[in-house]
Amino acid sequence: MPESQKITRRDFLNGTLLASGAALVTAACPFQLMAAEDWNGYPGIGDYAAANGNTHQVMADGHMIRDHAFDKAQPPITDTGETHDCVIIGGGISGLSAALFYQRATDSKKSCLVLENHPIFGGEAKRNEFHVNGQRLMASQGSAMWFPPMPGSFLQHFYDSVGIDPRQFQYQQNASRIPTGVTPYAGDGSNFGFFFGASFGHPEGLWLTDPWGKKLEGAPIPAPAKQELLAMQTTSAHGPMPKRHGDTVSRHLDSITLEDDLIARHNLSRDTVRRYLSPVAGGGSGIGADALSAYSDYAPDLLFPWQKDQGPQMFPGGNTGVARHIVKALLPNAINGPASMPGICQSSVNFAALDQLQQATRIRLRSTVISIQHEGDPANAPYVNIVYFRLGKLYRVRAKSVILANGNWTINSIVRDLPSDYRHAYAQFFRAPCIMANVAVRNWRFLANMGISQAQWFDGIGNYLAVRRVAAFGGGAPALSPDSPTVFTLKILFANPGRPPIEQINTGRYQLMTTPYSVYEQRIRDQFSTMFGKQGFDARRDLAGIILNRWGHAYLAPQPGFFFGKDGKPSPAELMRHHPFGRMAFANSDLSGIMDHRASITEAHRAVQQVIAQI
């Protein structure tokens, strides 16, 4: 039975709120009634301890933008007296890359200010840290995998320029007879297991290890679905595959859903897709495969070919490593220690060095932009005014150019003079919520007792986990055994196949926003106890910490027609990519249709070229 603890009145209240479904609130919503500690929960240690996902403060500021609270209150605005050649909105990988490209293009002779609303740079490329059994453990908050670029490619040159050396991705030794991977994503080998719970007629739980090797024998799955899943594993997909971005096949795929593509290629029933493949199929976009463009599953590899024979790699804290390398290249003193991969990963951030008066490039944290507007007619205005909220006060700066590298969901609210055609295009960008829960355990003996290191389940919270060997330059233990502490990353998605995209998104976001940390923590404890209790897991003894990273707008969820347009109309991103608005250019990975740090970099490069052409 799941381990239970005392249910508080607050937990009961939350259960009542969740039962109200997808109702959207704009006034005193349950999130606003929650104390910061109830929302944030345990934040971990290190540079990122005050920045686990969208913190309570970040959410509160964002909702004030949405509700135009500053316009209604009309608080005083302090003019900083600053005029910058370029102001970049957003300090994620796109914004940081834009700052670096701008710095290099202008030989550091032009001033550039990055405004970032979180307590630390990186956007979704941040990490969590724990200290367990004398070891420092790191895990990604969001953006995770790094793909070795093709030799001679733009990305290869960029990574090399910021000191990322693919040869440095050497990992902990595996001190176990059980194979282990280097990413938090579960695979399908003999070290893999399925867990079936109450909805499969097994309230006590049933494990099936090496399910594909055993051809699903013993799995409580109906015979037709079992046959479909086995055929999917053992036979080639039907139909032509896209060869390049924009070819006939890719355009056809963008006209249908991912669910329909899975059904056609693998002779699956719709029920099989929704019961056994969702939400992992479409997991990179946050909602059900029934609402996503089929091309979203193919676009990353076509847009960014990579050396697949080397396999995906991973920094100890995910693509936090990429963000930190960019910052080190931008502002060498902003990260203490040497400009090496171990130094950049292990050293602390020197926050004071991010925003110094004498620097050509500056990064200003905890600064939520609420208003951007040209001074006069956008066609010939000499400057743009930017107002931002920081530590309880409003400030104004001026810019000769602006790069919008922030989330697309805020642009319609903060760019006050944005024309209607841009607003209409941005209204077609859907972002789905996600929680990345990092669960630190003192050992993973409970998995090893079954001979596995990765697992998937179909009910409860999360869907899969995997033991991960960490890159050695993170400074952790040289070897990983079943008795070693480790961190499991649970991706908590809110897919509701069969509902319209916006309904899936709003339902999920409401659940994310109204559920206290304590409830999620208890659900995770219960999930682990249910699945692993018979294998020796004891939550009180073995759990070392749980960090929630709530992302209210985690994933772009591209609907059919997003990539290449629909009904004779261009894709919604084409306007922003090819037509800057006055002195503003648009960056962010959303414009490519995929949530990938590589797109963040290339979209930033394009945007910088556009503003450079203006000056």
Side-chain angles (χ1 to χ4, degrees), residues 310-375:
Q310 295 186 18
Q313 308 297 317
M314 193 165 169
F315 289 84
N319 288 323
T320 309
V322 176
R324 292 171 73 93
H325 274 261
I326 296 171
V327 170
K328 185 71 171 178
L330 263 175
L331 302 168
N333 292 330
I335 296 180
N336 298 313
S340 63
M341 291 183 72
I344 293 171
C345 179
Q346 297 179 40
S347 300
S348 60
V349 172
N350 178 7
F351 287 94
L354 293 173
D355 190 8
Q356 292 289 321
L357 181 63
Q358 74 278 10
Q359 294 168 177
T361 303
R362 301 163 71 174
I363 301 173
R364 189 163 298 164
L365 303 175
R366 302 179 187 269
S367 300
T368 300
V369 174
I370 68 162
S371 174
I372 308 170
Q373 188 167 1
H374 290 90
E375 287 187 6

Side-chain angles (χ1 to χ4, degrees), residues 414-430:
I414 65 176
V415 182
R416 301 305 177 92
D417 51 356
L418 191 68
S420 60
D421 50 348
Y422 289 84
R423 293 182 183 278
H424 176 72
Y426 267 123
Q428 299 174 63
F429 285 66
F430 299 114

Side-chain angles (χ1 to χ4, degrees), residues 507-581:
T507 300
R509 189 171 294 138
Y510 187 81
Q511 292 175 6
L512 176 149
M513 289 175 55
T514 59
T515 308
Y517 170 88
S518 60
V519 173
Y520 279 124
E521 178 188 40
Q522 188 64 54
R523 290 177 184 171
I524 292 170
R525 292 170 67 91
D526 288 349
Q527 187 78 38
F528 274 55
S529 297
T530 297
M531 294 194 299
F532 306 122
K534 292 181 180 179
Q535 284 71 44
F537 174 81
D538 181 279
R540 295 184 182 277
R541 180 192 64 210
D542 298 329
L543 274 181
I546 298 173
I547 302 177
L548 294 185
N549 304 287
R550 306 184 197 232
W551 300 107
H553 301 80
Y555 290 114
L556 179 73
Q559 68 277 20
F562 185 90
F563 291 92
F564 304 112
K566 188 177 181 180
D567 301 327
K569 299 178 181 179
S571 72
E574 286 306 293
L575 176 63
M576 281 76 77
R577 297 186 81 219
H578 298 297
H579 300 282
F581 166 53

Side-chain angles (χ1 to χ4, degrees), residues 254-552:
D254 189 39
S255 71
I256 64 174
T257 68
L258 176 57
E259 182 174 87
D260 287 336
D261 184 52
L262 290 167
I263 290 170
R265 289 194 186 279
H266 301 287
N267 292 324
L268 301 172
S269 71
R270 203 168 299 279
D271 286 344
T272 295
V273 173
R274 295 183 179 184
R275 182 68 178 104
Y276 302 103
L277 302 186
S278 184
V280 177
S285 299
I287 58 176
D290 64 306
L292 298 171
S293 165
Y295 187 60
S296 63
D297 213 36
Y298 303 85
D301 286 348
L302 291 178
L303 288 170
F304 302 105
W306 57 287
Q307 298 185 71
K308 294 183 180 179
D309 59 317
Q310 295 186 18
Q313 308 297 317
M314 193 165 169
F315 289 84
N319 288 323
T320 309
V322 176
R324 292 171 73 93
H325 274 261
I326 296 171
V327 170
K328 185 71 171 178
L330 263 175
L331 302 168
N333 292 330
I335 296 180
N336 298 313
S340 63
M341 291 183 72
I344 293 171
C345 179
Q346 297 179 40
S347 300
S348 60
V349 172
N350 178 7
F351 287 94
L354 293 173
D355 190 8
Q356 292 289 321
L357 181 63
Q358 74 278 10
Q359 294 168 177
T361 303
R362 301 163 71 174
I363 301 173
R364 189 163 298 164
L365 303 175
R366 302 179 187 269
S367 300
T368 300
V369 174
I370 68 162
S371 174
I372 308 170
Q373 188 167 1
H374 290 90
E375 287 187 6
D377 184 352
N380 51 33
Y383 299 103
V384 177
N385 280 316
I386 301 104
V387 178
Y388 63 92
F389 181 70
R390 186 173 193 273
L391 303 178
K393 296 182 179 180
L394 291 179
Y395 299 91
R396 180 188 293 112
V397 298
R398 301 170 89 202
K400 296 179 181 177
S401 62
V402 172
I403 294 176
L404 297 164
N406 52 316
N408 68 71
W409 61 94
T410 66
I411 289 176
N412 275 353
S413 295
I414 65 176
V415 182
R416 301 305 177 92
D417 51 356
L418 191 68
S420 60
D421 50 348
Y422 289 84
R423 293 182 183 278
H424 176 72
Y426 267 123
Q428 299 174 63
F429 285 66
F430 299 114
R431 292 284 293 233
C434 173
I435 298 175
M436 301 295 283
N438 282 317
V439 182
V441 294
R442 302 187 187 283
N443 65 80
W444 52 281
R445 177 62 62 185
F446 51 90
L447 283 174
N449 289 340
M450 294 186 285
I452 62 174
S453 60
Q454 48 188 343
Q456 183 178 344
W457 57 96
F458 303 94
D459 298 302
I461 190 165
N463 299 100
Y464 57 84
L465 58 76
V467 175
R468 176 172 75 101
R469 287 181 289 113
V470 178
F473 59 76
L480 182 75
S481 78
D483 295 312
S484 302
T486 191
V487 179
F488 294 118
T489 298
L490 304 188
K491 182 186 286 190
I492 302 169
L493 299 170
F494 301 92
N496 289 281
R499 299 184 182 182
I502 195 65
E503 186 177 334
Q504 294 192 41
I505 290 168
N506 286 343
T507 300
R509 189 171 294 138
Y510 187 81
Q511 292 175 6
L512 176 149
M513 289 175 55
T514 59
T515 308
Y517 170 88
S518 60
V519 173
Y520 279 124
E521 178 188 40
Q522 188 64 54
R523 290 177 184 171
I524 292 170
R525 292 170 67 91
D526 288 349
Q527 187 78 38
F528 274 55
S529 297
T530 297
M531 294 194 299
F532 306 122
K534 292 181 180 179
Q535 284 71 44
F537 174 81
D538 181 279
R540 295 184 182 277
R541 180 192 64 210
D542 298 329
L543 274 181
I546 298 173
I547 302 177
L548 294 185
N549 304 287
R550 306 184 197 232
W551 300 107

Side-chain angles (χ1 to χ4, degrees), residues 15 50 74 105 127 132-133 144 179 208 211 300 309 357 427 432 488 516 519 552-553 608:
Q74 296 186 336
R127 72 192 188 200
V132 184
N133 296 0
L208 180 64
D309 59 317
L357 181 63
F488 294 118
V519 173
H553 301 80
V608 169

Side-chain angles (χ1 to χ4, degrees), residues 148-233:
M150 299 300 289
S153 65
F154 172 83
L155 285 168
Q156 188 270 322
H157 289 301
F158 176 78
Y159 292 138
D160 183 65
S161 76
V162 296
I164 298 175
D165 181 359
R167 296 170 299 181
Q168 295 291 311
F169 286 98
Q170 304 295 323
Y171 296 86
Q172 291 174 300
Q173 297 176 358
N174 184 13
S176 168
R177 60 180 176 81
I178 304 166
T180 51
V182 298
T183 78
Y185 301 102
D188 56 6
S190 61
N191 61 325
F192 171 78
F194 276 144
F195 178 81
F196 301 97
S199 71
F200 291 88
H202 289 272
E204 77 290 354
L206 173 70
W207 276 100
L208 180 64
T209 59
D210 190 17
W212 303 113
K214 295 174 181 174
K215 301 188 184 304
L216 295 180
E217 183 177 349
I221 298 174
K226 190 179 294 187
Q227 291 173 1
E228 292 176 9
L229 293 170
L230 287 171
M232 183 179 181
Q233 284 284 317

